[in-house]
Amino acid sequence: MSITAIKGMNDILPGDVETWQFLEAKAREVFGAYGFSEVRTPVIEKTELFCRSIGETTDIVEKEMYSFNDKSDNSLTLRPEGTAPVMRSFIQRKLHTLDPVSKFYYMGPMFRYERPQKGRYRQFHQIGAEVLGVEDPKIDAQVLAMLHHYFCEIGIEAVSLQVNSLGCPECRPAYRQQLNDYLQQRLEQLCSDCQRRYQTNPLRVLDCKVPGCRQATLDAPAVIDHLCGGCDAHFSAVKKYLQALKIPFEINLRMVRGLDYYVRTTFELVTDQLGSQNAVAAGGRYDGLVESLGGPPLPGIGFAIGVERLVLMKGADRIVPATPDLFIAALGEAAADQAFVLMSKLQRSGIRAEMDYLGKSLKAQMRRANKLAAAYTLILGEDELRSGQAQLKKMADSSQQTVALDTLDDTLKDRLTGC
Ligand code: ATP
Ligand code: MG
């Protein structure tokens, strides 16, 4: 039996990979304009990093982590998300000493042991961004404006931005208690997960997708009605700046996010095009996280975009793979040798040139040129080698032109750019 990939882990193949490259390139371009620099961290970290940051009672830490002991018996984990590793790196490398405001982005694979389905995989990819050092609500609005700008640039508009505030360690405990009391009255209507969750992490009950839980919590107390003065003013300012920047948004009182480190502003970009995997990006403020991991007391805010979900949303609007500019068909061995040298010269000048390596007949070579959708073909035989000239055929309309072989690169460049 041949060896297959691990369940829930995908190969990204030509035909799809061009869309990935497009999404990644646009992120670099857009995020760069807002002053963000890329950080690349290892895909494996000490397990403790995720337990301490994401929270022991979250779905990720309770059941989704790929953790294992290495040969020295250290507990390691394939990163389930990107924020904790970036914070670890920020603290360890003392990046706050470089500038009081740090803006980073990252992209790469994340790992969660989930039930694989459309839009949900065990290795998936995120493009994320983080800002450290700014409490000012302007930065919350700027991060959301950047996310909005990115989605415009990649041509995905069927998303809505939902925002909420989760309060802070000052105001959340009282709210949590109130929610807890409310849930206690309705315990028998909740699913078994929520019956357990309501004590350890009652906010997560509001996020449960089971219809019974939704129904039972329709009139649950909302966190934004219980914010302290500081959180209330912060949230009002975030909304004001979003309006000033003309970024459309909705308030979603039920959005609580699944990671413990979030405080104040939280947000998701949701779509109705992906069934129950409706979140394409999510994030929020995490003041306190850097300090809790042993760093300076700096506030932070960030988001992560699920790249597979973007690719699904791009659907038919995917980026078309590049096809050869020229296919050189050679007649005989001497011509094939010449074709090989000519092709290499063209490739060095940036022209996508291709030829046959299998000793095929002229007819078979032309069939392949057609199949590859080459823009031009050139037939090279003894006559052409002798005269240094050949017929360049434009495949779209079969028109032919006599060209000199030694200036073929310039001729092709002119024709390909329409000069
Ligand atoms: P969900 O509610 O769909 O489980 P989440 O709240 O666990 O998402 P985050 O941890 O906030 O997700 O990650 C940010 C984004 O990463 C999500 O909005 C989603 O687009 C993507 N994502 C998360 N988990 C997966 C997965 N297993 N497969 C593919 N994409 C994922
Ligand atoms: Mg999840």
Side-chain angles (χ1 to χ4, degrees), residues 19 22-23 151 153-156 273-274 307-319:
T19 302
F22 164 78
L23 296 170
F151 274 74
E153 284 290 317
I154 61 174
I156 295 183
Q273 295 183 356
L274 295 177
V307 185
E308 280 78 0
R309 294 185 192 178
L310 292 187
V311 174
L312 284 169
M313 284 192 78
K314 285 294 276 181
D317 180 30
R318 289 224 283 268
I319 307 298

Side-chain angles (χ1 to χ4, degrees), residues 64 112 114 120:
E64 297 174 358
R112 295 185 195 175
E114 301 201 68
R120 191 175 294 288

Side-chain angles (χ1 to χ4, degrees), residues 235-255:
F235 193 48
S236 299
V238 173
K239 290 185 284 186
K240 178 185 81 182
Y241 290 129
L242 285 175
Q243 276 152 2
L245 298 180
K246 301 198 167 49
I247 308 296
F249 67 93
E250 291 163 29
I251 307 287
N252 179 350
L253 301 176
R254 304 182 71 95
M255 196 228 308

Side-chain angles (χ1 to χ4, degrees), residues 1 9 19-20 33 68 70 117 128 132 140 147 151 171 179 297 343 354 379 404:
M1 250 240 316
M9 305 210 178
T19 302
W20 284 74
F68 62 96
D70 72 2
Q117 53 198 290
L132 292 158
D140 304 48
L147 194 57
F151 274 74
C171 49
L179 181 63
M343 177 185 74
E354 194 48 87
I379 299 176

